Amino acid sequence: MQIVAIIVSLTLTAIAVPYVALAVRKMLSVIRTGGPAVGRTDRPAARTVTMLKETFLHTRMLQWTYVGLMHWFVYLAFVILASAVLAGYFQLFDPSFVLPIIGHFFLFEWVSEGIGLLGTIGIIALIIVRQKNHPRSLGRSSRFFGSRFWQAYFVEAFVLLESAAILFIRGAEYRLLLLEGSEYATRFHFPIAGYVGDGLFSGLGEQGLENAIFAIAMIKVSLAMIWLMIIASNLTMGIAWHRFTAFFNIWFKRESDGSTALGGLEPLRIDGKTLDMEGLENLEEEDFEKLGVGKVEDFSWKGILDFTTCTECGRCQSQCPAWNTEKPLSPKLLVMGLREHAYAKAPLLDADPETLTDEQKRELERPLIGDEDLFGVIDPDVLWSCTNCGACVQQCPVDIEHVDHIDDMRRFQVLVESNFPTELNNIFKGLERKGNPWGMNPKHRMDWAKDLDFEVKQVGVDVESLDEVEWLFWVGCAGAFEDRAKKTTQAVAELLNTAGVDFAVLGDGETCTGDPARRAGNEIVFMQLAMENAEVLKETKAKKVVSTCAHCFNTLKNEYAEFGIELEVVHHTQLLNRLVREKKLTPVAPGAGAAEPAKTITYHDPCFLGRHNKVYEAPRELLEVIPGATFAEMPRNSEKSFCCGAGGARMWMEENLGSRININRTEEAIATGADQIAVGCPFCRVMLSDGLTAKQDSGEAREEVEVLDVAQMLLASVKREPALVGAALEAEPNAADEANPDSISDTAEAGPPADTHTKPEEVAGTSDEVPKDDPAPTSQEADEEVAAEHDVPLADSGAAKEAADGGGVSTQASREELAPEAETPDAAPDEPEKEPDEPASEKDSSAWDNVGAVNTDLLPDSPASSSSGDGAPTPDPEPEEGDVTETETEAVPASDDGPGSDDDADPQEASPAEEPAPAPAPAPETEPVEEDAREEESGEQPSASATPVADDGEIVAVEDAPTTDPTSPDSAPLSDANPSGADVSEAATALGRDDETDTEGGSAKG
Ligand code: SF4
Ligand code: SF4
């Protein structure tokens, strides 16, 4: 037996060792095909500590406590196994062999046996977990959907056998020592294995026991060698390889302080050099193709190491809002797809083309982004479904940096391929021309402050610089233009004023931080905006900034240092919490005569505040100190919070695939029984408000439920206002807002006039969607009822009015007063002429027609065409000087010219990405915002090329975009519909994504 055991073990070892060495070399050569990874070796000591903590203490795995614990046992068993396998070689020659010094040290013995037992229990538990969560019963809601099961079974079987082998071999050792009369043959030295030995080997004599030890040692060594050879043959077997690569992947993670790759995005780099505007302007022609990631080898080596390390555990997939709403994006499948492609392509890169098979040539030429027809590695639907919520990065136990990879691929699609969802044209143009994604006139940025009963200082008007005040209040585009967000802005301003905080705003000196552009891949527009803002911030001597928008907060805090401005940035909930603690703000119970039942409040964590910046406590603490309210947490909260669906510029994109993310989240909020859903971000507020309205319209949510910013709730409490009434009041924009064409109450209204608008007939047929012409439940009558019920005055009388006028809780305008203007069919003639009967299918299918070099010529039709007949759109009654005017609108080709006509009519109208290679001018088609401002100052009409939004053969001013009934800010869904194509991964393709809807666009593309 001994000879057989020695021959088998050593032969397998002799084959396995060089084979594995060769595999490691191959793996390294694949990883080396990636480009340079910048900043991955700083602070080596801190990196080492992080790596040791994450591996040996399983800090990230333990986010899932039970499974993490089981995996920790298995991991430790694996480490112990390595020493057991080593000891096995010696036991082949000497069955009584023990490791020197520690071999009979009781602690080592206890740990070995304990880990052997726990490892066995752990792997059995994990096997059960995998089986209980198997896709055969759970379908795509299984986190293992798409993971490769044979690989998992292989690894599980190996760990089970090897863990058990520790106990078996020690059991045989115990019996042998017992026969030899050794002093170590006691239960003290063999606390568990003694029982195993008695159970399995008690009938064996000395020779039999020695043979048992030889056999078990052979099995241990042979299994380990076979395991190594199998994984060496499968370099993409992450479930096995991560045991070795995770150490490196964690050590080289983006953040040397051990935090996740969230917050700011990695800057745009070429060959490891960060690109600034000057670099972009002087870009060599051959470098143009290196903007972003267009081929798998464009990822950095760390990116390819990421893909190599994925264990296919599916934690990321289980949390991904896109995947959880039946979209084709799974971060796991995306990483797996990239890994398969990287390992298939890399060895072919230097091969002689003559020697390649057809299949290899196909792999080599495979586009990184492309639908099924193009044999793309990643489907466009996958790429553009991401909300950048960061749940995948937060969950990943081996620190894979999904968001950076996704946005790098988006950059290439936008900057080089000019291939992106058509809706993004509109925000890019709005950002370039007007400095905000809606393309609103910047001179209305201060409108939110008009109704306040105190002065809001503006830099350049009331104060010279920010040196004269403590805080810069960064209002943000939504905070300045979006009706619901304006209430938050007003509430924060009033609270700061009440607390005696000295602050100022930039007014029209502020432009968008650039977050939507950057997250959509348009780094050029982002840079423009960031440079402009950084310049203003430097000139005005900004140091401390408070922001109500989680996206502005994140960008200012984490991304503006690249532009030479370091700021102390806080979210408004953090500052308000500080003020409450300092007793400068005192929340109190509602005033006498306004008794209302105790309210339940739940809180939705904005991804860019929570996961991206770890601000979880401040808003919760604020909500918890509001008297008369009970705080109810949603099941998915804090790190595991579920996205609202608006991040990653998704706010401006269609959502046609699967179900709607905002509805999913709203349902969860409603299920807590909350009367108020608190948010801390204007994007979340829009999404959840729309979700809530949909649910209320379908009778699945109580009419009293409302979505409010934390600041509004605090303000109501500080002012002793009944929050319910305050909320009811705020739910409708005030009269001034309604009448103001530069105020928006729904992103779909003032946003892109393309197919981000749901057609009324589409809405009517979709339970999750809100009929546009169905007024929001917050009518005057409803408020009167609420007021009567709670015995409180309406805002148009007495103290409530005073409070409302001054407090960010607006005076309610009657729906009747506003309705004629909002709903008059006379609005229709002001809309650009459209072909009235353009079929919906054509509109939908055109969503991805733009795959190719130029986008605007293939834009889908405008909602104007679909809604002009229903009287819903509201024209801009008074085009303002400097705004894009109807004249300009008319100057462009009619919509029925069809694809291409737009481009023909106005070749200057191409978006940045539309500028074809090879000259990657920084913002190829933009007119700087300053130029716009100049136009406004001079009163000149901007040229037709300045018209911000192109739309299916016509160009429509963003301000002129049709709006729905403005008295119902919550009445229309933000946007829906999504472009389409086929799925990237085998697994996702296998879903049979219910949609040939998915592929509508895809087919149109071909
Ligand atoms: S960032 Fe969010 S939406 Fe994007 S892949 Fe990760 S989990 Fe999914
Ligand atoms: S990317 Fe990370 S979380 Fe997702 S499956 Fe791979 S290892 Fe698991």
Side-chain angles (χ1 to χ4, degrees), residues 262 316-317 319-323 329-332 334 382 385-393 402-403 406 410 611-612 643 661:
L262 292 172
C316 54
Q317 181 173 292
Q319 307 291 308
C320 175
W323 184 259
L329 166 64
S330 149
K332 175 185 77 180
L334 178 130
V382 170
S385 288
C386 177
T387 66
N388 276 214
C389 73
C392 47
V393 179
H402 314 70
V403 175
I406 288 170
R410 285 184 174 185
R611 265 190 300 268
H612 280 274
C643 180
I661 294 172

Side-chain angles (χ1 to χ4, degrees), residues 119-138:
T120 307
I121 293 171
I123 196 67
I124 290 171
L126 293 182
I127 289 169
I128 293 170
V129 165
R130 190 178 295 272
Q131 291 308 311
K132 279 182 72 177
N133 291 286
H134 200 287
R136 72 173 156 255
S137 52
L138 296 181

Side-chain angles (χ1 to χ4, degrees), residues 294 338 365-384 409 412-413 417 419 848 851-852 980-985 989 993 1002 1005:
L338 291 170
E365 286 154 15
R366 200 175 172 189
L368 190 65
I369 306 298
D371 65 10
E372 226 167 13
D373 294 341
L374 295 172
F375 191 44
V377 179
I378 304 293
D379 190 273
D381 281 345
V382 170
L383 183 69
W384 294 104
M409 290 188 282
F412 186 87
Q413 293 305 302
E417 293 281 318
N419 176 13
W848 271 100
V851 173
S980 169
D983 193 10
V984 50
S985 66
T989 306
R993 283 184 335 229
K1005 242 182 283 187

Side-chain angles (χ1 to χ4, degrees), residues 325 642-646 655 659-668 684 686-692 694-695 768 973-975:
T325 51
F642 194 73
C643 180
C644 72
E655 192 180 348
S659 56
R660 293 170 65 94
I661 294 172
N662 64 332
I663 296 285
N664 185 305
R665 184 56 164 170
T666 306
E667 283 169 351
E668 187 177 3
C684 301
V686 167
M687 299 304 277
L688 295 186
S689 295
D690 288 345
L692 179 62
K695 287 285 151 189
D768 279 346
L974 178 64
S975 70

